[in-house]
Amino acid sequence: MAVMSGIVLFTVIWSMVFMILLPVRVQTQGDLGQIVEGTHAGAPEHHHLKKKALWTTGVSIVLWAIIAGIILSGWFTVADVERWLHGAPTPIGGTNG
């Protein structure tokens, strides 16, 4: 895996984990009973984004290390994925059928 591939993999993992953590522990205006006029009761009052970003980074580092380790170990390759999705490859000369 090249450096840029590793960076892209980490970025994708980070963004997915962040989207999963966004709704966790959000306190809305409706929950607190302090609805500002002109806003929706579901508008977040306390979102804890800094904590969520730090948790996301930690979880993403662990997941990235596991996934990158599997990719770099050669435990399975792109050819294996192709085989799982499409079956055995067709010989270059055709199927003789």
Side-chain angles (χ1 to χ4, degrees), residues 26-32 34-36 39-46:
V26 172
Q27 295 176 336
T28 64
Q29 293 178 10
D31 293 340
L32 299 175
Q34 302 170 352
I35 302 171
V36 177
T39 62
H40 192 275
E45 185 67 28
H46 302 290

